[in-house]
Amino acid sequence: MSAILVTGGCGFIGSNFVRRQLADYPDQRVVNLDKLTYAGNPENLADLDDDPRYVFRRGDICNREFVDAALAEHAPDALINFAAESHVDRSILDSTPFVQTNVVGTQTLLDACRAAGIERYVQVSTDEVYGSLGRDGRFTEDTPLAPNSPYSASKAAGDLLVRAYCHTFGFPGIVTRCSNNYGPYQFPEKLLPLFIANALVDRELPVYGTGENVRDWIHVDDHCRGIDAALRNGRAGEVYNFGGDAELTNLELTRALLAVLGKPESLIRFVADRPGHDLRYAIDFSKAERELNWRPQVDFREGLRQTVEWYRAHADWVEKVRSGEYRQYYERQYGSRLATA
Ligand code: NAD
Ligand code: TYD
């Protein structure tokens, strides 16, 4: 491919993906469209400022004229849609921007890509569209969609639009669904970076409910390799699951993290549970193994250690993104929870 267009490239996974693409494909240009919401930080890609193969355009994926202009100017071979409102807790406080970006934004991109005759479209989605598991079993690509949060419902709606465009128009779309990512540049509203940042300054770690909820953790590098494999070798109209093969309860994860940091378990605070909190996610990624020759490579303990080191070394990055809007969010989300816990 000579050029790809990425949306949401200033966020956590998008920025890791853009950097990796430029490293792995020296002759390929990468165009990044990002609105720069609270979660979008151009500093995540500041090291690419002087790279002539990288282009950044600020704008909203819901704005058809903006998307059309980018497609016309750069004529990319493929579009990979990372742009989203991505945090479950925020979707519980207000689902409006979730429906706007994750549903209307996806539809706008699909129409624009169809009109431009794009050769490949990849929708980066989540295992949360499948809902919650009990103690046993894993999600396959055939598991019925049963989203439980406004976030996952809006992602499922986006996935279904891609499916419908493939079916109705022969559109060359692919959906990828991945479990919980961790790694550098993750915004510290999500569990791991929040707990690392808090623990580093001896602040309490707010564990929802009893901490028995299970998530499957995957390093962001493994997820990016999976998206790349789907982009280049996936079949149009298909869904591919990616997982890390690293299931842990939130409490197990928190304890492992405190051990890596050398901090006491007395920092753990059990707080009021998230409404509608999904019990367990687990992924069957055998289709990606079979068809894309993909499997996760990063060992969880080693990935966790490296991630902690990254946050330790980037205290100024954390400090910056935690100022401003984030302070108000933290107070709204945790103020009364921590006061009454
Ligand atoms: P993030 O919140 O860190 O980044 C989202 C990016 O999208 C930001 O740069 C933001 O500015 C941009 N954006 C938001 N609304 C936009 C709009 N209307 N127009 C243009 N840009 C906009 O998210 P992330 O964790 O990097 O997740 C990226 C994608 O991967 C999302 O689609 C998410 O649903 C999916 N996903 C995330 C995880 C995870 O564990 N983080 C797991 C599976 C799937
Ligand atoms: P999160 O990082 O928000 O990802 P998701 O909800 O998309 O899986 O949360 C991961 C798990 O950690 C989830 O079970 C909720 C829990 N959690 C807490 O216990 N405390 C917190 O402060 C946060 C943000 C999450």
Side-chain angles (χ1 to χ4, degrees), residues 69-140:
L71 289 170
E73 183 183 355
H74 301 285
D77 303 297
L79 186 147
I80 304 98
N81 181 25
F82 292 91
E85 289 293 333
S86 67
H87 190 38
V88 173
D89 290 325
R90 287 189 190 249
S91 80
I92 295 169
L93 294 174
D94 179 11
S95 60
T96 312
F98 288 76
V99 173
Q100 190 59 24
T101 289
N102 302 357
V103 186
V104 177
T106 298
Q107 178 241 327
T108 307
L109 292 176
L110 291 171
D111 282 339
C113 286
R114 210 161 79 77
I118 201 118
E119 285 166 29
R120 175 65 76 231
Y121 175 98
V122 180
Q123 177 78 355
V124 180
S125 191
T126 165
D127 60 352
E128 301 189 28
V129 298
Y130 297 122
S132 184
L133 291 165
R135 301 277 165 204
D136 303 314
R138 292 179 164 209
F139 298 130
T140 73

Side-chain angles (χ1 to χ4, degrees), residues 86-89 126-128 149 151 179-181 186-195 198 205-209 211-215 217 250-251 253-254 269 271-274 277-279 281 329-330 333-334 337:
S86 67
H87 190 38
V88 173
D89 290 325
T126 165
D127 60 352
E128 301 189 28
S149 72
Y151 162 67
S179 61
N180 287 60
N181 285 218
Q186 187 168 29
F187 193 83
E189 63 187 355
K190 306 278 169 38
L191 179 75
L192 257 177
L194 173 70
F195 281 17
N198 278 11
L205 311 186
V207 173
Y208 295 159
E212 283 169 342
N213 305 69
V214 174
R215 296 292 182 266
W217 295 93
N250 292 338
L251 199 51
L253 176 66
T254 306
R269 287 284 295 277
V271 300
D273 209 351
R274 169 188 283 174
H277 196 170
D278 284 339
L279 177 66
Y281 304 142
Y329 166 74
Y330 198 87
Q333 178 65 17
Y334 296 102
R337 274 193 162 95

Side-chain angles (χ1 to χ4, degrees), residues 7-16 32-42 44 57-63 66 81-87 97 100-102 105 123-128 151 155 176-182 185-187 189-190 217-218 220 223 227 242:
T7 65
C10 294
F12 164 46
I13 304 171
S15 61
N16 279 282
N32 173 18
L33 308 188
D34 198 300
K35 182 179 175 180
L36 301 184
T37 67
Y38 77 91
N41 184 354
N44 294 355
R57 294 279 181 271
R58 184 175 188 177
D60 192 329
I61 60 165
C62 300
N63 178 341
F66 167 69
N81 181 25
F82 292 91
E85 289 293 333
S86 67
H87 190 38
Q100 190 59 24
T101 289
N102 302 357
Q123 177 78 355
V124 180
S125 191
T126 165
D127 60 352
E128 301 189 28
Y151 162 67
K155 291 296 291 184
T176 63
R177 297 190 179 130
C178 189
S179 61
N180 287 60
N181 285 218
Y182 69 96
Y185 298 104
Q186 187 168 29
F187 193 83
E189 63 187 355
K190 306 278 169 38
W217 295 93
I218 181 172
V220 64
H223 185 193
I227 295 167
F242 301 123

Side-chain angles (χ1 to χ4, degrees), residues 306-334:
Q306 284 175 12
T307 303
V308 166
E309 282 320 307
W310 188 89
Y311 279 90
R312 225 197 270 276
H314 290 78
D316 51 338
W317 182 91
V318 174
E319 190 46 44
K320 241 185 189 163
V321 297
R322 284 192 121 179
S323 60
E325 188 268 356
Y326 184 82
R327 280 182 203 281
Q328 289 156 28
Y329 166 74
Y330 198 87
E331 184 50 37
R332 199 168 161 204
Q333 178 65 17
Y334 296 102

